[in-house]
Amino acid sequence: LLREPNVTLELLFPLLYGASWEYPYAEAQPIVRELYERLGASKLLWGSDMPNVERSCTYRQSLTYLTRYCDFISSREMDWIVGEHANALYFA
């Protein structure tokens, strides 16, 4: 399903596992890496699910677990995942 052209995957690890994993969610990094390597940045989309994520972490932490700790993703592709992809979907 994820290989279909109009399907994306929202990265929501802080929301899903924030109650049992501690920031910066090191357990998520190998999963994010595999998704990134298998699917590419064009299929990944960051999401915070505000305000629900605040039960587990701050808004900033919901972003920086990716931007600071997933250094295997290039800065250009990270920009795509955390903002430009959503912009292209919603405002194209």
Side-chain angles (χ1 to χ4, degrees):
L1 182 62
L2 290 171
R3 294 193 195 323
E4 293 297 320
N6 294 325
V7 177
T8 58
L9 178 67
E10 188 173 6
L11 300 172
L12 289 168
F13 290 102
L15 181 65
L16 296 171
Y17 297 107
S20 55
W21 294 353
E22 290 187 32
Y23 178 82
Y25 314 113
E27 299 91 339
Q29 292 173 14
I31 302 166
V32 173
R33 181 187 293 266
E34 184 163 348
L35 291 168
Y36 173 69
E37 289 174 355
R38 286 183 179 230
L39 302 172
S42 66
K43 300 298 272 180
L44 303 177
L45 179 67
W46 168 74
S48 68
D49 198 23
M50 283 297 285
N52 293 330
V53 77
E54 289 184 320
R55 291 178 289 170
S56 303
C57 66
T58 67
Y59 177 83
R60 181 181 300 266
Q61 288 172 326
S62 77
L63 175 62
T64 60
Y65 89 97
L66 286 174
T67 59
R68 287 188 185 160
Y69 298 98
C70 292
D71 57 1
F72 49 88
I73 300 175
S74 73
S75 61
R76 177 68 193 113
E77 288 184 313
M78 187 62 77
D79 288 346
W80 175 258
I81 293 169
V82 301
E84 292 179 29
H85 193 175
N87 191 47
L89 284 172
Y90 300 127
F91 302 110

